[in-house]
Amino acid sequence: MPQNDAELEGRDVKDEVPNLKDFDQRLRDEAAVEPSLEVPQGEPTSKTQIIAIYGKGGIGKSFTLANLSHMMAEQGKRVLLIGCDPKSDTTSLLFGGKACPTIIETSGAKKVAGEEVKIGDVCFKRGGVFAMELGGPEVGRGCGGRGIIHGFELLEKLGFHDWDFDYVLLDFLGDVVCGGFGLPIARDMAQKVILVASNDLQSLYVANNVCSAVEYFRKLGGNVGVAGLVINKDDGSGEAQAFAEAVDIPVLAAIPQDDDLRKKSANYQIVGTKESQWGGLFAQLGEAVGIAPPVRPTPLDQDGLLGLFDAKDTGGDYQLVPATDEDMRGKFSKPKVSLEVVYDDA
């Protein structure tokens, strides 16, 4: 109901200003809440392989997965591709750049309308591939990892463990420091992990982190292993190959750094098809993904990771120089009064 001038005049202006301290505290309280450990789980059918794909943001996971899933479908497999990255870019290449509604945003809108989410609201298909995006919270308004957990709870309600697929491919952000993104590894939701990396330190750092997460949960009784590494934008320099050998995992495919691939990816064109000159590469990758067993990696420490690269490129030969108390005090540095008792000579 519209308010009259008298009501507006009687209102304290400070009532119109949000209490930022309270708002900040609510955000901190939300971030501090541990995710529920009671995410519904069920055993997948014996024929279903649930595979989590990890890699650094921008390394080419979505490109690799869109084309891999398309080729697998051409090979006669039933494939479900699920994007688990808050950027929601997994399915964009598969759908020619078209963004599909995410499970989280659709669920929110349906809840407000008093309706239930249906498969057709969130799952779409092309070339025999079924695909959906979990999505995530709005920027600065929630935890991406908690969004992943919430998304899988919704998938369970939609009947996830009753679906009939040969492969379920999960596209995850490689930052498994967050428990939400480490969900498939921590709770045995996938049978195996595939890493996507390139011949650069940062992408291999992320790949090594994922290996560390796998090894950590194996020690706690987990069963997830690493099936292998896909080298994307391979320039032939060999660091990614050396990393795979060092952590004792196979290289499933090496996708070359090629201008034709770059252009087709930028234009949302599928190359994982028999009609493409790159079809054979993705056909071999599809076969390798299916038969590669989950192995237990041996992650590297920081020095071991740096050792894969030439020291002149990484600064790996730098020796740490300890700082002193005088360094920290700077111009305020003064000699400390000694408490030592000095006796005169007798």
Side-chain angles (χ1 to χ4, degrees):
M1 178 181 295
Q3 295 169 311
N4 56 41
D5 292 340
E7 289 175 322
L8 291 175
E9 289 176 2
R11 179 187 298 173
D12 194 333
V13 175
K14 68 181 181 181
D15 293 337
E16 299 292 327
V17 180
N19 189 324
L20 295 182
K21 182 178 292 187
D22 289 347
F23 180 70
D24 176 71
Q25 188 58 49
R26 287 201 304 273
L27 289 179
R28 291 176 182 274
D29 291 342
E30 177 187 349
V33 174
E34 289 294 328
S36 169
L37 295 178
E38 298 180 358
V39 176
Q41 296 184 48
E43 291 297 325
T45 59
S46 58
K47 63 174 261 185
T48 303
Q49 285 199 46
I50 303 179
I51 305 173
I53 292 84
Y54 285 93
K56 182 176 77 71
I59 200 60
K61 299 187 308 299
S62 298
F63 164 80
T64 302
L65 280 176
N67 288 290
L68 172 62
S69 60
H70 194 276
M71 176 54 71
M72 283 180 153
E74 283 195 5
Q75 293 172 331
K77 304 298 184 182
R78 284 178 54 81
V79 182
L80 172 62
L81 175 61
I82 303 179
C84 307
D85 190 319
K87 296 194 302 296
S88 301
D89 59 353
T90 304
T91 58
S92 295
L93 197 147
L94 182 65
F95 295 138
K98 182 74 172 180
C100 65
T102 70
I103 292 175
I104 291 178
E105 69 180 1
T106 301
S107 172
K110 291 286 185 178
K111 185 175 182 179
V112 170
E115 302 174 0
E116 294 290 330
V117 178
K118 298 181 176 60
I119 290 295
D121 297 325
V122 294
C123 189
F124 305 88
K125 52 188 179 180
R126 178 188 178 187
V129 181
F130 295 81
M132 59 179 69
E133 290 279 359
L134 287 188
E138 295 182 41
V139 176
R141 297 184 62 182
C143 170
R146 288 179 61 81
I148 296 299
I149 295 173
H150 178 56
F152 273 100
E153 290 173 342
L154 293 174
L155 284 180
E156 173 68 17
K157 293 177 181 178
L158 288 173
F160 177 70
H161 294 296
D162 296 324
W163 296 343
D164 178 29
F165 288 100
D166 297 303
Y167 294 93
V168 176
L169 305 178
L170 309 174
D171 183 357
F172 270 90
L173 186 66
D175 189 359
V176 294
V177 172
C178 170
F181 296 123
L183 198 68
I185 302 172
R187 303 185 188 172
D188 280 356
M189 294 181 66
Q191 289 99 335
K192 55 190 180 184
V193 163
I194 292 174
L195 305 172
V196 179
S198 189
N199 293 306
D200 69 272
L201 179 59
Q202 291 304 315
S203 72
L204 293 178
Y205 176 84
V206 169
N208 193 58
N209 264 1
V210 178
C211 288
S212 296
V214 169
E215 177 62 11
Y216 172 74
F217 287 108
R218 286 293 286 261
K219 290 179 179 178
L220 296 181
N223 299 296
V224 179
V226 178
L229 174 70
V230 175
I231 306 174
N232 192 34
K233 303 175 184 177
D234 186 13
D235 59 5
S237 56
E239 289 87 355
Q241 177 72 48
F243 168 78
E245 294 174 0
V247 300
D248 199 22
I249 61 174
V251 173
L252 301 178
I255 303 172
Q257 182 173 286
D258 187 273
D259 197 50
D260 180 63
L261 284 174
R262 182 187 64 79
K263 290 179 179 178
K264 284 183 167 58
S265 176
N267 293 322
Y268 301 103
Q269 297 181 31
I270 292 294
V271 298
T273 175
K274 297 173 183 176
E275 285 72 35
S276 167
Q277 63 171 313
W278 306 103
L281 174 62
F282 282 95
Q284 292 178 8
L285 176 57
E287 294 171 358
V289 165
I291 64 175
V295 300
R296 191 167 179 171
T298 53
L300 304 175
D301 59 18
Q302 180 71 5
D303 288 339
L305 195 59
L306 287 174
L308 301 175
F309 296 82
D310 192 317
K312 73 177 187 299
D313 296 326
T314 64
D317 56 353
Y318 179 77
Q319 298 297 316
L320 295 177
V321 179
T324 66
D325 182 71
E326 287 75 16
D327 291 332
M328 308 307 289
R329 292 175 181 271
K331 64 181 181 181
F332 300 108
S333 179
K334 294 181 180 179
K336 290 185 177 181
V337 178
S338 174
L339 297 180
E340 180 183 2
V341 177
V342 178
Y343 296 95
D344 295 333
D345 294 334

